[in-house]
Amino acid sequence: MANKTYLQALNEAMRQEMERDENVFILGEDVGQFGGCFGVTKGLFDRFGEARVIDTPITESVIVGTAAGAAASGLRPIAELMFVDFIGVALDQLFNQAAKMRFMFGGKAKVPMTLRMPQGAGVGAAAQHSQSLEAWFMHIPGLKVAIPATPHDAKGLLISAIRDDNPVVFLEHKMLYGLEGEVPDEPYTVPFGQADIKRVGTDVTVVATSLMVQSALAAAERLAAEGVSVEVVDPRTVLPLDMDTIIESVKKTHCLVVAHEAVGFAGPGAEIVAQVAEKALDYLDAPVKRVAAPFSPIPFTPPLEKAWIPSADDIVAAVKSIRSCGVRPRPEAGRGRALRQPPPGGDTVRTAAILANPASGKDIRRLVAHGSVFDNQEKVRLTRRLLLGLEAAGVARVLYMPDAYGIVPRALEAIAPAMACTPIDMPLTNSQQDTIVAAGIAEALGAGVMVALGGDGTSRAACKGSIKTPILPLSTGTNNVFPVMIEATVAGLAAGIVASGRFPPEATCHRATMLEVLLNDVPVDIALVDVAVYDDVFTASRAVWDLDKVPRLFLSRCRADAIGLSAIGGQLAHITPEEPRGLALELAPDGDTTVTAAIAPGRFARVGVRAARDMPPGQAHPVALAPCLLAVDGEREVAVARGVRAAVRLTTLGPFVVDVPRVMELARRAGLFVSGQPA
């Protein structure tokens, strides 16, 4: 395998393909005896003659149009424009003809043309000869766009482009022509849509294209000396774009920087960032950073041009800015601890328990059918962040409830916590009874705190086990009206501090006030209420159980359907600042049937009535129910007929609930944090 320059690799690829296939020919300005503007076609005119290496007039529209027509006629043209900046006068031939021809002929037409264009700044060619325009071509269905960063990829991708039956835009950075690297002598292909990991790392993913790949590698080398492991991913083609490789890297490093020389606004990095946000947002531990050119024409003056071009320094700065955002440290000995000194109790193992009962297929189908977003994957994402918080707070052992979906094991796939994570040894019934059993076992095994993941149903079930251990309910936020809507990492940190025993329970917990529902004077534990008036219209709400601690902001300035309630018969109930702690909603879909959904803490009012009145603890308040289904104990669905006596009342016999804001304030006052970050 010989060492060749980027330019030589391109030249060799064209020569070998022209030798292999007589239908391959080259056309463009000065590509013949002169050898091209940058010398890429040098020697090919002498080897193949003027019939296959054709000098054209200075008319880009003719070059691209001729290539498109020749390709549709069975030839395989390689067209060259001197600069990508000149494509503007040939956009119709490329965008509207070559890119769409195969589609408009029902797949019968082939357009095997390759359009080579140098791009990029750095040679003092000023604003009209130095742009990076790959984002233009990425927006056109029917095109493929290759943007190689190394001599090896340049040859392999160009051969793939020439052999492809679709139009390929092949972009070559001018500053890469002299780059050397190992290139096989024999022909080979590099597949489109397959990214290459140029450097393996564990802390930050840098996705870079073209010349920025070299800058990213230089930045990674400098950062390695500071203990930061950078993974450099080169997409190699931006259309098709290999998002699978990028996302897998993000899942490993939890941090992302995107670097390209094109301007940042609507540049190729924007598409990468958008897809990461859609598919892997919850794997990110810090905001994404883009390193790109400023939104301005490219200066001619060398010092200004150098300042305009993104550099390795910019990539280093972007990575360091991410690392300063509180990124989770890697789980090495002695790291990831939030407490300054050991908690009371000597060597006592600090233990937390996670109770996460997955939604059943029946629940998911019902909720999805009515437009609710509900997925067990939400619990996986929350659990991952919860584990990070527990680890940072110094928890040494996590006991977790097993389940059929595998919520905690799936979360552990993405992280490597230093603490021991052990499933509770218990049989599964795939019911809320599992939560009750798991809570009892965890308490017997010394859990200092329990986190009930998923909100109301899991938390209520855990309470039925008469546990005395503090419990922290953590909501998924999906189809759920629930009082604890906090960032899961903060929840884990607070739970870990409680488990450490640094503060007495009365300082960190409160006795919850619960809402009881009575049917014919018999209390029932309702996890989900589906009030069915018509087959295709329903309202659903989770029964709130910790009523004294409903944050005012959570229920203020929200539409009812935005917090888990769908209006019946087109009516919307508005929750306003004048009713800051919630309502019992009474909806009248048809003037005959009255539906009341009780979701609120100590207040009761009809829809449209601002003056709510108190509901004293222990006093039953009658409510009217339409024929409906009640999911009792989170398991049994009980049909309620018209005329059933229904009431709601408050009880102060709830569990001890972790007061997250109080815990964090106590920790701050005790000096457990330094400069806003865990010590």
Side-chain angles (χ1 to χ4, degrees):
M1 187 179 295
N3 210 43
K4 302 170 186 175
T5 66
Y6 189 100
L7 185 150
Q8 291 169 336
L10 293 172
N11 183 280
E12 186 173 81
M14 289 187 285
R15 176 180 59 79
Q16 290 177 345
E17 285 304 287
M18 293 178 76
E19 291 172 347
R20 187 185 71 87
D21 186 349
E22 62 181 11
N23 290 319
V24 178
F25 72 99
I26 299 172
L27 72 159
E29 300 165 17
D30 292 332
V31 297
Q33 289 183 322
F34 186 69
C37 182
F38 294 95
V40 180
T41 58
K42 189 176 182 64
L44 298 180
F45 180 86
D46 297 333
R47 172 71 178 81
F48 298 102
E50 63 181 6
R52 296 184 66 191
V53 184
I54 304 170
D55 280 323
T56 67
I58 305 175
T59 310
E60 285 76 13
S61 58
V62 170
I63 297 171
V64 178
T66 300
S73 301
L75 300 177
R76 291 187 178 272
I78 306 170
E80 177 185 308
L81 301 190
M82 282 187 175
F83 297 90
V84 73
D85 314 71
F86 300 164
I87 189 60
V89 296
L91 287 180
D92 182 69
Q93 288 78 6
L94 180 64
F95 286 6
N96 283 330
Q97 304 306 323
K100 297 177 174 60
M101 197 176 298
R102 189 167 191 172
F103 174 81
M104 297 181 72
F105 282 91
K108 296 180 180 179
K110 297 179 180 179
V111 191
M113 63 172 281
T114 301
L115 180 58
R116 292 184 41 250
M117 294 180 285
Q119 72 168 12
V123 297
Q128 296 172 322
H129 300 75
S130 304
Q131 298 170 91
S132 295
L133 301 178
E134 59 266 29
W136 285 20
F137 309 108
M138 289 174 66
H139 198 66
I140 305 301
L143 295 180
K144 295 185 178 181
V145 184
I147 184 167
T150 65
H152 178 276
D153 291 343
K155 178 178 178 179
L157 286 171
L158 184 53
I159 291 176
S160 293
I162 296 169
R163 296 180 184 181
D164 201 292
D165 287 334
N166 300 283
V168 177
V169 173
F170 198 90
L171 302 172
E172 307 157 8
H173 199 290
K174 296 186 279 287
M175 297 299 291
L176 288 174
Y177 281 138
L179 179 68
E180 294 187 352
E182 291 187 340
V183 179
D185 294 327
E186 66 277 2
Y188 62 91
T189 60
V190 170
F192 282 19
Q194 184 173 309
D196 184 41
I197 298 178
K198 293 291 195 280
R199 180 185 178 114
V200 176
T202 57
D203 293 334
V204 181
T205 295
V206 176
V207 178
T209 60
S210 193
L211 182 63
M212 286 297 103
V213 172
Q214 305 305 318
S215 298
L217 291 171
E221 193 66 31
R222 288 165 52 184
L223 288 164
E226 301 179 28
V228 179
S229 176
V230 175
E231 181 151 293
V232 178
V233 180
D234 175 10
R236 300 197 290 196
T237 62
V238 290
L239 189 64
L241 180 61
D242 181 8
M243 285 305 304
D244 289 343
T245 297
I246 294 171
I247 287 174
E248 286 305 310
S249 179
V250 169
K251 287 181 178 180
K252 176 174 67 173
T253 66
H254 306 288
C255 298
L256 175 63
V257 173
V258 180
H260 53 71
E261 192 177 299
V263 296
F265 182 79
E271 177 62 26
I272 294 172
V273 172
Q275 291 206 37
V276 169
E278 289 175 354
K279 302 172 183 178
L281 178 64
D282 288 299
Y283 286 92
L284 292 170
D285 286 344
V288 175
K289 292 291 183 180
R290 284 189 289 172
V291 176
F295 193 68
S296 74
I298 302 163
F300 170 71
T301 307
L304 290 180
E305 181 187 40
K306 182 179 179 181
W308 185 92
I309 300 171
S311 66
D313 290 340
D314 297 323
I315 296 174
V316 169
V319 171
K320 287 185 176 181
S321 70
I322 283 180
R323 300 291 294 175
S324 69
C325 290
V327 173
R328 171 181 64 92
R330 283 183 289 161
E332 298 171 351
R335 301 185 67 179
R337 302 294 180 175
L339 299 182
R340 280 186 177 277
Q341 64 265 13
D347 297 329
T348 301
V349 176
R350 297 175 296 282
T351 302
I354 297 178
L355 311 175
N357 209 338
S360 67
K362 174 187 64 179
D363 290 337
I364 293 174
R365 286 192 298 271
R366 178 174 57 209
L367 294 169
V368 170
H370 289 281
S372 299
V373 179
F374 193 97
D375 188 353
N376 285 318
Q377 182 60 30
E378 288 294 324
K379 293 182 181 178
V380 175
R381 294 166 182 160
L382 284 173
T383 300
R384 185 182 338 107
R385 295 183 179 276
L386 173 66
L387 288 167
L388 298 180
L390 291 171
E391 181 185 22
V395 168
R397 181 177 64 160
V398 171
L399 304 172
Y400 65 87
M401 185 181 84
D403 68 88
Y405 186 77
I407 292 171
V408 177
R410 287 172 187 252
L412 289 170
E413 291 176 0
I415 58 176
M419 57 191 175
C421 297
T422 308
I424 296 171
D425 186 10
M426 56 178 283
L428 289 180
T429 63
N430 296 321
S431 70
Q432 290 287 5
Q433 186 65 28
D434 292 341
T435 308
I436 299 173
V437 172
I441 296 175
E443 184 169 67
L445 292 176
V449 70
M450 298 188 191
V451 181
L453 191 64
D456 179 67
T458 303
S459 303
R460 290 170 70 90
C463 298
K464 281 192 275 184
S466 300
I467 62 171
K468 297 180 176 60
T469 302
I471 186 169
L472 194 161
L474 183 61
S475 172
T476 59
T478 52
N479 199 62
N480 202 4
V481 182
F482 195 75
V484 182
M485 296 289 288
I486 54 178
E487 210 283 328
T489 307
V490 176
L493 194 58
I497 293 172
V498 172
S500 72
R502 294 187 60 88
F503 307 108
E506 57 270 19
T508 58
C509 303
H510 65 272
R511 175 73 81 171
T513 300
M514 299 176 63
L515 180 68
E516 284 187 319
V517 178
L518 298 90
L519 297 179
N520 292 331
D521 302 323
V522 178
V524 295
D525 180 33
I526 301 177
L528 185 68
V529 181
D530 290 353
V531 182
V533 179
Y534 306 109
D535 290 340
D536 58 343
V537 184
F538 88 121
T539 183
S541 70
R542 287 195 181 278
V544 178
W545 64 277
D546 187 12
L547 303 183
D548 283 343
K549 298 297 179 180
V550 177
R552 288 176 178 270
L553 182 61
F554 179 62
L555 290 183
S556 64
R557 298 183 180 87
C558 291
R559 235 171 42 180
D561 60 341
I563 59 169
L565 289 176
S566 300
I568 296 180
Q571 269 191 298
L572 292 178
H574 292 271
I575 298 173
T576 68
E578 287 77 19
E579 301 148 345
R581 299 188 64 209
L583 295 173
L585 299 181
E586 182 169 292
L587 306 176
D590 58 17
D592 176 44
T593 305
T594 298
V595 180
T596 300
I599 65 167
R603 301 281 180 172
F604 179 82
R606 296 175 182 275
V607 171
V609 179
R610 293 183 181 277
R613 59 191 178 85
D614 292 334
M615 189 193 311
Q619 176 181 321
H621 191 98
V623 296
L625 289 178
C628 62
L629 291 177
L630 297 183
V632 181
D633 299 334
E635 303 300 326
R636 297 180 290 113
E637 287 191 345
V638 178
V640 179
R642 190 186 304 273
V644 170
R645 296 193 311 278
V648 292
R649 71 182 176 193
L650 300 180
T651 175
T652 56
L653 300 179
F656 287 102
V657 179
V658 175
D659 191 328
V660 175
R662 177 63 176 160
V663 173
M664 300 304 284
E665 176 63 18
L666 288 173
R668 186 189 65 79
R669 291 181 182 179
L672 301 186
F673 302 97
V674 178
S675 301
Q677 299 290 336

